[in-house]
Amino acid sequence: MILKQKNKSSVLVILGLAASVFILVQCMDKGREAEEPVSFAAYAGAEKCASCHKEVYEKHLQTAHYLTGQPATENFITGRFSENSNGYYYTPDILVKMQKRDSGLYQVIYYRGEEKMAIRKDIVIGSGVMGQSFLNWRNDRLFQMPVTYFTAAAQWSNSPGFPAERVMTDRPITSRCLECHVTYAEGSGGDTLEPINFAKDKMIYGVSCEKCHGPAAKHVAFQTSNPEVKTAKYVVNPAKLNRQQQLDVCAVCHGGKMQKLKPSFQFTPGKNLADYFRMDQVQDVSLAGGEVEVHGNQYGLLRKSKCFTASKMTCSSCHNTHENERGKTEVYVSKCMSCHPAGSATFKTATHVQVKAVETECINCHMPALESRAIAVHLQGEEKPRAALVRSHFIGTYPDVTKKILNNKK
Ligand code: HEC
Ligand code: HEC
Ligand code: HEC
Ligand code: HEC
Ligand code: HEC
Ligand code: HEC
Ligand code: HEC
């Protein structure tokens, strides 16, 4: 009897709970629906941050994030325009030359010396660390241009994935390049998953402050009209988010190929990336046969690493994205050694004891620079495409790489 009573009441409790969960979920769904879609008006632009965050702003202008995805003016372009180093021959008959003209910077196509077509560079994609590709506006659509600058060889080259012996001038781009190379672009053809038409004057160039801190026009307005308030409102500090959300801030662009569920520009820091992308599709690591796709997939690789699974590591464990830290090996090594002190007993492995000044090479052995499959270009007179090198974020041991480094050290 008593048992039955108890059962009845627990059924009631469960029903009650289920009902309140249902109501809660409904409310949350409503809350989500009520969330305003992100639009251009919500952004302030990095220049607006300078007055109150001067130091961060000035350093930001030196970062690859800022430089990537800018209007194609001379100060953002790495490659040369001077005669003899400004061309790329597709065939002995077909030459594309970089030229400065009154109305801008152009890629000019010549057939047997005769000008056939001139295309203006409107947007430059890439800071030039590895290379730069260019986009051209035709009305409200963007097209990728045939010639790309490849920094490692200091040469103009055929754009990655373009045909080898024919100049391709009509490769449209969707919002995809922009999603990772600018902060915000507004589709002009409605709120589709991957727009192809854009409002030219509604773009926040570069990977700017507000990509990592959320649209901040309201923050600027509030702090400006309330200068006595010393705490922040209406802005996201990633350090205050949970671990996955912190990773999400970066993974939206550094998560490799993921299936999109909602428009990428609607994702902002503090939201869950899994609501916008199928995260379980983050590419797996398969080290066999050099099958690592390192282009833009630092998150996918890192999360397969022991360092990541056995600690609370985020991207900020090694990176301060406010500064340009490229090539500062000592900064990175100090991060490794904060978790793996060189004096410890476990550090004295068979390999480590053989290497002089082991700390100068940690990264080269455990995070080697590998060939990108996505950024590979045809250089003048070379049969095979040449790939850019990208630092693998699968932190592990790479026997072939170790062997090479040990041999070089001898
Ligand atoms: C009128 C001054 C002012 C302007 C302009 C301004 N901020 Fe702030 N911001 C503040 C103040 C005050 C704080 C709180 C003190 C602090 O953390 O520096 C703050 C804090 C922050 C924080 C840390 C928030 C936290 O919770 O820890 C971020 C991130 C931030 N601002 C980003 C931005 C960005 C991005 C811009 C430009 C779009 C910007 N701010 C423009 C005044 C300003
Ligand atoms: C909007 C997309 C986007 C977001 C968000 C983003 N990045 Fe990047 N990041 C890029 C692109 C694109 C590049 C390549 C820039 C270039 O060289 O052209 C890059 C480059 C970098 C680099 C190399 C810098 C250098 O000097 O070469 C580091 C490190 C990096 N990102 C870390 C991060 C971290 C950490 C976060 C999160 C806090 C983050 N990124 C968020 C797109 C993004
Ligand atoms: C690629 C992402 C990224 C970009 C771009 C970026 N920040 Fe940050 N910012 C972060 C992260 C991550 C943190 C938290 C760092 C940590 O974990 O302590 C942060 C922290 C801050 C803070 C809190 C105080 C501090 O310095 O830690 C302020 C203020 C801030 N950023 C302002 C800016 C401004 C202004 C810009 C542009 C001029 C900018 N940020 C660009 C990622 C970014
Ligand atoms: C998923 C995000 C993502 C997409 C989509 C994307 N990129 Fe990138 N791109 C990156 C990241 C991250 C890097 C930095 C190097 C790396 O990690 O491979 C990069 C690097 C580059 C570079 C070399 C920049 C440099 O000098 O360091 C170029 C050029 C480039 N991308 C062009 C493009 C073009 C053109 C498109 C569209 C067809 C595109 N990217 C689409 C994320 C992306
Ligand atoms: C936030 C702490 C942290 C940082 C930073 C860190 N690691 Fe680790 N790492 C760990 C932990 C925890 C493990 C797993 C336990 C162990 O083997 O010590 C690990 C494991 C490893 C392993 C063994 C991997 C395997 O598959 O067996 C290597 C190699 C390694 N780390 C190298 C590095 C290098 C190189 C750096 C710097 C680029 C670094 N770690 C930075 C925490 C960290
Ligand atoms: C254990 C330390 C560590 C962590 C954690 C880490 N990185 Fe890196 N990252 C490095 C090192 C070392 C380099 C090479 C820097 C250099 O060559 O100057 C690098 C380079 C990069 C580059 C430039 C790629 C290239 O080859 O030019 C990008 C982009 C990047 N990291 C993004 C990220 C993102 C996003 C995360 C988080 C998902 C992350 N990193 C986490 C250590 C780390
Ligand atoms: C010449 C290449 C090389 C260099 C340089 C190197 N390692 Fe290693 N490391 C290895 C190899 C190979 C192993 C696997 C064990 C072995 O064969 O000694 C290893 C193992 C490890 C491990 C796992 C140890 C364990 O618990 O089994 C960690 C952590 C590690 N290295 C961190 C570092 C750090 C941090 C640095 C820089 C201070 C560094 N390594 C420099 C090649 C290298």
Side-chain angles (χ1 to χ4, degrees):
M1 251 334 233
I2 294 168
L3 207 80
K4 254 191 186 160
Q5 278 279 337
K6 226 183 172 175
N7 270 351
K8 230 185 210 168
S9 60
S10 47
V11 165
L12 280 177
V13 168
I14 288 169
L15 277 175
L17 263 177
S20 49
V21 165
F22 179 72
I23 290 166
L24 202 76
V25 167
Q26 290 271 308
C27 290
M28 278 164 61
D29 275 353
K30 281 229 179 77
R32 271 189 206 155
E33 266 165 37
E35 205 169 71
E36 249 177 75
V38 177
S39 72
F40 182 73
Y43 288 89
E47 316 75 52
K48 292 275 168 56
C49 319
S51 58
C52 302
H53 303 287
K54 186 163 178 279
E55 205 191 319
V56 182
Y57 174 74
E58 279 170 3
K59 284 188 180 155
H60 174 64
L61 302 184
Q62 310 299 319
T63 62
H65 276 145
Y66 169 74
L67 296 168
T68 210
Q70 288 288 346
T73 53
E74 254 180 278
N75 50 325
F76 290 115
I77 296 182
T78 317
R80 282 171 294 182
F81 285 79
S82 47
E83 207 55 43
N84 298 327
S85 43
N86 66 338
Y88 177 76
Y89 281 94
Y90 280 77
T91 67
D93 285 339
I94 307 174
L95 168 67
V96 179
K97 270 185 162 182
M98 306 303 123
Q99 287 179 350
K100 287 179 201 167
R101 297 187 171 179
D102 288 344
S103 53
L105 304 168
Y106 283 81
Q107 297 194 351
V108 186
I109 303 163
Y110 291 89
Y111 182 74
R112 296 189 174 161
E114 195 183 314
E115 179 177 332
K116 291 291 172 192
M117 193 178 184
I119 317 169
R120 194 173 64 201
K121 300 173 198 243
D122 290 318
I123 295 178
V124 49
I125 300 284
S127 67
V129 167
M130 295 170 205
Q132 296 187 315
S133 283
F134 301 89
L135 308 180
N136 165 249
W137 282 114
R138 275 173 230 168
N139 299 318
D140 61 354
R141 292 188 65 180
L142 284 165
F143 292 82
Q144 191 177 351
M145 295 175 65
V147 175
T148 287
Y149 187 70
F150 190 68
T151 306
Q155 278 178 41
W156 296 100
S157 66
N158 195 5
S159 291
F162 276 52
E165 305 209 322
R166 172 167 78 77
V167 190
M168 190 177 182
T169 58
D170 56 354
R171 184 197 246 188
I173 66 142
T174 64
S175 61
R176 205 64 191 112
C177 302
L178 300 176
E179 287 165 10
C180 295
H181 286 275
V182 306
T183 296
Y184 183 80
E186 196 147 285
S188 57
D191 194 19
T192 55
L193 201 56
E194 203 160 295
I196 53 170
N197 308 81
F198 308 95
K200 262 187 218 179
D201 54 348
K202 291 186 177 170
M203 200 178 291
I204 302 284
Y205 289 103
V207 179
S208 187
C209 317
E210 291 166 285
K211 194 74 214 182
C212 302
H213 295 300
K218 244 173 132 176
H219 170 68
V220 171
F222 175 83
Q223 309 295 157
T224 304
S225 49
N226 298 280
E228 72 291 351
V229 180
K230 296 295 171 215
T231 50
K233 261 193 155 171
Y234 310 118
V235 73
V236 178
N237 182 346
K240 297 177 184 169
L241 300 174
N242 69 37
R243 186 191 186 199
Q244 187 57 49
Q245 288 173 330
Q246 283 189 45
L247 290 161
D248 287 355
V249 171
C250 316
V252 63
C253 306
H254 292 285
K257 291 194 184 100
M258 303 181 288
Q259 190 196 336
K260 212 186 302 171
L261 304 172
K262 290 187 193 170
S264 178
F265 287 120
Q266 292 299 319
F267 168 79
T268 54
K271 294 182 183 173
N272 298 316
L273 193 59
D275 292 338
Y276 293 79
F277 286 92
R278 283 273 309 273
M279 300 291 286
D280 57 348
Q281 292 193 334
V282 170
Q283 279 172 309
D284 266 358
V285 188
S286 125
L287 290 168
E291 278 299 292
V292 199
E293 180 40 66
V294 276
H295 176 222
N297 190 23
Q298 289 79 16
Y299 170 68
L301 293 165
L302 186 68
R303 69 177 199 155
K304 301 284 178 190
S305 312
K306 246 198 192 156
C307 296
F308 182 86
T309 54
S311 78
K312 294 201 166 70
M313 173 182 274
T314 64
C315 307
S316 296
S317 306
C318 297
H319 293 294
N320 170 1
T321 50
H322 288 172
E323 298 198 18
N324 184 338
E325 297 188 313
R326 177 161 283 275
K328 293 188 182 160
T329 310
E330 65 294 349
V331 171
Y332 290 107
V333 168
S334 73
K335 307 284 162 84
C336 309
M337 291 172 83
S338 66
C339 291
H340 303 291
S344 68
T346 53
F347 192 80
K348 296 198 169 67
T349 72
T351 302
H352 291 176
V353 296
Q354 295 178 55
V355 192
K356 254 192 230 150
V358 67
E359 65 283 357
T360 58
E361 300 276 7
C362 306
I363 293 163
N364 293 338
C365 280
H366 292 296
M367 298 182 72
L370 303 177
E371 290 194 347
S372 167
R373 280 189 290 157
I375 308 180
V377 299
H378 278 281
L379 291 174
Q380 198 73 71
E382 289 187 14
E383 271 302 305
K384 281 203 229 138
R386 203 128 36 111
L389 297 177
V390 181
R391 191 64 71 171
S392 170
H393 278 61
F394 179 76
I395 308 174
T397 45
Y398 296 74
D400 291 352
V401 174
T402 293
K403 226 183 269 163
K404 239 190 225 161
I405 290 177
L406 284 178
N407 283 339
N408 286 347
K409 284 254 161 184
K410 270 174 195 159

